[in-house]
Amino acid sequence: MTRAKRDFGSIRRRSNRRYQAYYVGPDQATHRAPSTFEARADAEAWLADERRLIQRDEWSPTRFRRARRQRASQAFGPYAESWLAYRDIKPRTRVLYRRQLDRFILPAFGDVAMREITPTAVRIWHSGLDPSKPTQRAHAYGLLRAILTTAVTDEVIATNPCRIRGAGTSASTRRVEPASLEELRVVVDHMPERYRALVLIGAWCGLRLGEMSELRRSDLDLRLMVLRVRRGVVRVEGQVSVGLPKSFASIRDVAIPPHLIPVIENHLERFVRPETDALVFPSVGDPSIQVHANTLYRHWYRARLAAGRPDLRIHDLRHTGAVLAAQTGATLAELMARIGHSTPQAALRYQHAARGRDAEIAAALSRLAEGR
């Protein structure tokens, strides 16, 4: 956030990269522009207009109060639509926000004036959301809070009425059980040969499905035994979107366990075109297109049933890889780097799971010592 010294008024760049202009008026009070500006030149123009009004003795502080009242009286719906339209977010996130607005937020607040969205109104709305779907409930509340936080920044409203403690987070109700090595072997044996390397990379290298689907020959350095994660693919409303991985921390180099090298070499020779930009896991019908998740799921469901793990998701391979890495004694920082997490919370879960498995091993050793 930067400020510029001027003969009249000040301009600062806020954390959201928009510019805010303000000045001390003849009444010795600070007056801010009705909204922030995308370009610095627009902020300078607004200050120039205000200075001109003062010089002509046409300036009045009441119009600021009137402008603020007008902003606060605007309906939430149009403001939310503008908020979403100019938000720099990934395509899948945009679709998710659109769905949450249409299903949960706009029906309740779309026609309500911004100033009439009170803490009481928010609490009543939140209590009406389905408590049996805590994640969906938390996401809807979090989106409403984010929009109204921006409204406070834009000085449309004075304070954010979303004040329900903990409402924006939800505890996971699903306990992920990593696959055992035997279960993993059975799953791999029951997958088509062209997808076995994908399952093994997911389990032993901890990649997300979107990261594996976008792997290309040039991302694999088998001589150095390194796999480079630089992109990810998602499908949004039937459209393929290739971009950066989930977060900045997800851009990483992952060391490939040596026992996977022959498997990957065999896969590259049999199923991957020779070009450096060839997809490692392409569609059967079109090698220039990433394998569709539905194709994988069709085979995956049969394979996991054969392993006696109908609860196991493809994404749980990543969890399995993280727990296996934790069992080797990997530190928290090493786990974060390998799995591509920007915060330690998830990596801590993997370490806890590994310690739980270690207790099982210790118990088994005691049974062995006692001859049972």
Side-chain angles (χ1 to χ4, degrees), residues 20 32 78 87 96 194 196 207 209 259 282 312 319:
Q20 184 180 56
R32 293 178 173 81
R87 203 71 174 174
L96 174 63
R194 67 183 305 116
R196 290 177 180 178
L207 269 64
L209 178 57
H259 73 279
L312 195 67
H319 183 93

Side-chain angles (χ1 to χ4, degrees), residues 70-311:
Q70 289 174 345
R71 294 197 304 274
S73 64
Q74 68 173 297
F76 172 85
Y79 184 87
E81 295 290 352
S82 177
W83 183 92
L84 183 59
Y86 293 102
R87 203 71 174 174
D88 184 15
I89 49 180
K90 292 186 176 182
R92 178 176 287 183
T93 304
R94 187 174 299 280
V95 171
L96 174 63
Y97 284 176
R98 178 76 268 166
R99 187 181 304 124
Q100 290 170 344
L101 276 173
D102 291 342
R103 290 184 60 189
F104 306 115
I105 301 177
L106 292 181
F109 297 116
D111 296 328
V112 179
M114 298 287 280
R115 65 185 176 192
E116 294 177 4
I117 303 178
T118 62
T120 300
V122 171
R123 279 195 298 272
I124 293 173
W125 165 77
H126 181 261
S127 67
L129 297 177
D130 189 350
S132 67
K133 299 178 179 178
T135 301
Q136 177 178 278
R137 194 184 195 195
H139 286 174
Y141 178 86
L143 177 57
L144 176 64
R145 182 177 59 191
I147 295 172
L148 294 176
T149 295
T150 305
V152 173
T153 300
D154 289 344
E155 299 186 350
V156 175
I157 54 178
T159 59
N160 193 329
C162 293
R163 303 173 192 173
I164 305 174
R165 187 182 298 274
T169 58
S170 63
S172 176
T173 57
R174 182 182 184 273
R175 184 178 183 274
V176 178
E177 183 68 29
S180 68
L181 295 183
E182 176 60 21
E183 290 168 347
L184 182 60
R185 183 192 66 77
V186 175
V187 167
V188 170
D189 287 346
H190 284 79
M191 289 291 288
E193 291 186 352
R194 67 183 305 116
Y195 301 130
R196 290 177 180 178
L198 182 144
V199 174
L200 290 170
I201 289 175
W204 290 100
C205 298
L207 269 64
R208 300 176 177 91
L209 178 57
E211 295 169 347
M212 292 189 288
S213 300
E214 178 49 25
L215 282 177
R216 298 178 185 266
R217 268 189 180 270
S218 58
D219 297 320
L220 301 176
D221 191 329
L222 300 187
R223 183 178 64 84
L224 295 178
M225 296 193 298
V226 171
L227 183 157
R228 299 183 177 90
V229 180
R230 296 295 182 270
R231 299 167 309 283
V233 61
V234 296
R235 280 182 167 82
V236 181
E237 297 182 331
Q239 300 297 314
V240 174
S241 175
V242 176
L244 295 176
K246 186 175 181 180
S247 65
F248 180 77
S250 299
I251 301 174
R252 63 200 189 278
D253 293 348
V254 180
I256 304 172
H259 73 279
L260 287 192
I261 298 300
V263 176
I264 296 174
E265 287 177 336
N266 178 64
H267 176 84
L268 292 175
E269 181 179 348
R270 296 180 59 191
F271 303 113
V272 183
R273 291 164 59 177
E275 296 86 357
T276 57
D277 65 342
L279 287 164
V280 176
F281 300 108
S283 167
V284 176
D286 186 347
S288 67
I289 299 176
Q290 299 86 350
V291 60
H292 199 290
N294 289 345
T295 300
L296 291 172
Y297 292 148
R298 186 169 65 251
H299 302 295
W300 175 261
Y301 294 150
R302 289 196 293 265
R304 70 181 186 180
L305 283 176
R309 288 296 307 274
D311 62 309

